[in-house]
Amino acid sequence: MALFELLTIGAIGTVAYASVKKDKKRRSQPCSFQEGITFEQFRLIAYEACEDINRIDDVIVKGSDVHVIVKSQSGISTWNFKLDFNDYGHLTGRYWMRSENSDSVMPKRVGDTIKSRISEIRRGY
Protein backbone atom coordinates (compact mmCIF):
# COMPACT_ATOMS: atom_id res chain seq x y z
CA MET A 1 0.00 0.00 0.00
CA ALA A 2 2.82 2.43 0.81
CA LEU A 3 4.37 1.94 -2.64
CA PHE A 4 1.04 2.67 -4.34
CA GLU A 5 0.59 5.84 -2.25
CA LEU A 6 4.13 6.94 -3.05
CA LEU A 7 3.60 6.39 -6.78
CA THR A 8 0.28 8.26 -6.66
CA ILE A 9 1.83 11.23 -4.87
CA GLY A 10 4.70 11.24 -7.38
CA ALA A 11 2.29 11.20 -10.31
CA ILE A 12 0.21 14.04 -8.86
CA GLY A 13 3.38 16.08 -8.27
CA THR A 14 4.54 15.49 -11.84
CA VAL A 15 1.17 16.59 -13.28
CA ALA A 16 1.10 19.69 -11.05
CA TYR A 17 4.66 20.63 -12.07
CA ALA A 18 3.83 20.21 -15.77
CA SER A 19 0.75 22.39 -15.35
CA VAL A 20 2.74 25.17 -13.65
CA LYS A 21 5.43 24.96 -16.34
CA LYS A 22 2.83 25.15 -19.12
CA ASP A 23 1.17 28.16 -17.45
CA LYS A 24 4.52 29.96 -17.17
CA LYS A 25 5.20 29.33 -20.85
CA ARG A 26 1.76 30.66 -21.81
CA ARG A 27 2.17 33.78 -19.66
CA SER A 28 5.75 34.43 -20.83
CA GLN A 29 4.57 35.27 -24.34
CA PRO A 30 3.44 38.92 -24.36
CA CYS A 31 -0.10 39.34 -25.59
CA SER A 32 -0.36 41.19 -28.88
CA PHE A 33 -3.41 43.23 -29.72
CA GLN A 34 -3.03 42.87 -33.49
CA GLU A 35 -5.71 40.36 -34.43
CA GLY A 36 -8.71 42.63 -34.81
CA ILE A 37 -8.88 43.95 -31.24
CA THR A 38 -6.85 46.84 -29.89
CA PHE A 39 -5.96 47.22 -26.22
CA GLU A 40 -8.43 50.11 -25.95
CA GLN A 41 -11.23 47.95 -27.38
CA PHE A 42 -10.34 45.14 -24.96
CA ARG A 43 -10.34 47.57 -22.03
CA LEU A 44 -13.74 48.93 -23.08
CA ILE A 45 -15.15 45.39 -23.44
CA ALA A 46 -13.98 44.57 -19.91
CA TYR A 47 -15.54 47.72 -18.44
CA GLU A 48 -18.81 47.16 -20.29
CA ALA A 49 -18.97 43.54 -19.07
CA CYS A 50 -18.85 44.84 -15.49
CA GLU A 51 -20.90 48.03 -15.68
CA ASP A 52 -24.32 46.51 -14.92
CA ILE A 53 -23.14 44.58 -11.86
CA ASN A 54 -23.79 46.79 -8.85
CA ARG A 55 -21.41 45.02 -6.49
CA ILE A 56 -18.36 45.56 -8.69
CA ASP A 57 -16.29 48.25 -7.00
CA ASP A 58 -13.39 48.57 -9.46
CA VAL A 59 -12.08 47.14 -12.73
CA ILE A 60 -8.39 47.33 -13.60
CA VAL A 61 -7.17 46.19 -17.01
CA LYS A 62 -3.43 45.57 -17.37
CA GLY A 63 -2.45 44.09 -20.69
CA SER A 64 -4.61 41.01 -21.17
CA ASP A 65 -5.49 40.72 -17.46
CA VAL A 66 -8.74 41.97 -15.99
CA HIS A 67 -8.64 42.49 -12.20
CA VAL A 68 -12.01 43.03 -10.54
CA ILE A 69 -12.76 44.14 -6.98
CA VAL A 70 -16.19 43.12 -5.73
CA LYS A 71 -18.08 44.32 -2.65
CA SER A 72 -19.35 41.49 -0.46
CA GLN A 73 -23.10 41.06 -0.18
CA SER A 74 -22.99 42.73 3.23
CA GLY A 75 -20.97 45.64 1.82
CA ILE A 76 -18.50 45.38 4.71
CA SER A 77 -15.63 43.79 2.84
CA THR A 78 -14.36 43.15 -0.70
CA TRP A 79 -12.98 40.21 -2.62
CA ASN A 80 -11.10 39.99 -5.94
CA PHE A 81 -10.98 37.96 -9.07
CA LYS A 82 -8.65 38.00 -12.04
CA LEU A 83 -9.36 36.96 -15.63
CA ASP A 84 -6.30 36.23 -17.75
CA PHE A 85 -6.98 36.41 -21.49
CA ASN A 86 -3.38 35.80 -22.66
CA ASP A 87 -3.60 32.65 -24.79
CA TYR A 88 0.08 32.11 -25.69
CA GLY A 89 0.43 35.73 -26.82
CA HIS A 90 -2.95 35.95 -28.55
CA LEU A 91 -6.31 37.35 -27.52
CA THR A 92 -8.60 34.48 -28.56
CA GLY A 93 -11.33 34.77 -25.94
CA ARG A 94 -10.03 31.80 -23.99
CA TYR A 95 -9.38 32.79 -20.40
CA TRP A 96 -8.03 31.57 -17.07
CA MET A 97 -9.73 32.60 -13.86
CA ARG A 98 -8.56 33.05 -10.26
CA SER A 99 -10.99 34.09 -7.57
CA GLU A 100 -10.95 34.65 -3.83
CA ASN A 101 -14.60 33.55 -3.75
CA SER A 102 -15.03 30.12 -5.31
CA ASP A 103 -18.78 30.14 -4.58
CA SER A 104 -19.52 33.15 -6.78
CA VAL A 105 -20.65 32.84 -10.40
CA MET A 106 -19.70 36.46 -11.04
CA PRO A 107 -16.14 35.78 -12.35
CA LYS A 108 -17.43 33.25 -14.89
CA ARG A 109 -20.29 35.54 -15.91
CA VAL A 110 -17.91 38.46 -16.55
CA GLY A 111 -15.35 36.20 -18.26
CA ASP A 112 -17.94 34.64 -20.55
CA THR A 113 -19.32 38.07 -21.45
CA ILE A 114 -15.84 39.30 -22.42
CA LYS A 115 -15.14 36.05 -24.28
CA SER A 116 -18.36 36.38 -26.27
CA ARG A 117 -17.61 39.98 -27.25
CA ILE A 118 -14.04 39.08 -28.31
CA SER A 119 -15.41 36.25 -30.46
CA GLU A 120 -17.92 38.60 -32.13
CA ILE A 121 -15.20 41.08 -33.03
CA ARG A 122 -12.74 38.40 -34.23
CA ARG A 123 -15.40 36.88 -36.53
CA GLY A 124 -15.73 40.23 -38.30
CA TYR A 125 -11.94 40.67 -38.59
Side-chain angles (χ1 to χ4, degrees):
M1 188 68 156
L3 179 60
F4 176 73
E5 290 171 352
L6 205 59
L7 290 173
T8 302
I9 291 170
I12 291 170
T14 301
V15 169
Y17 175 75
S19 177
V20 167
K21 192 173 177 181
K22 187 177 178 182
D23 191 54
K24 279 186 177 183
K25 181 179 178 184
R26 178 184 62 78
R27 296 286 304 151
S28 71
Q29 299 180 21
C31 191
S32 66
F33 291 92
Q34 300 176 356
E35 297 166 334
I37 299 176
T38 66
F39 172 73
E40 285 303 317
Q41 286 174 308
F42 177 69
R43 193 169 68 90
L44 184 61
I45 290 167
Y47 287 132
E48 287 174 349
C50 297
E51 72 183 351
D52 292 334
I53 304 172
N54 294 332
R55 290 181 37 220
I56 291 184
D57 203 30
D58 199 8
V59 179
I60 302 144
V61 181
K62 292 184 179 179
S64 59
D65 293 340
V66 180
H67 301 265
V68 182
I69 301 170
V70 182
K71 288 183 269 186
S72 65
Q73 289 182 349
S74 67
I76 295 172
S77 61
T78 61
W79 57 275
N80 304 296
F81 68 88
K82 175 185 166 191
L83 303 170
D84 171 4
F85 283 88
N86 183 355
D87 191 2
Y88 293 94
H90 302 279
L91 196 64
T92 63
R94 186 174 179 199
Y95 67 94
W96 290 258
M97 177 174 49
R98 292 179 193 217
S99 176
E100 292 179 352
N101 185 348
S102 59
D103 293 331
S104 177
V105 297
M106 193 180 304
K108 183 170 179 7
R109 177 180 163 197
V110 171
D112 287 349
T113 300
I114 295 170
K115 174 183 178 174
S116 174
R117 188 70 182 108
I118 289 170
S119 296
E120 288 173 16
I121 292 171
R122 285 179 53 100
R123 273 195 296 270
Y125 174 64

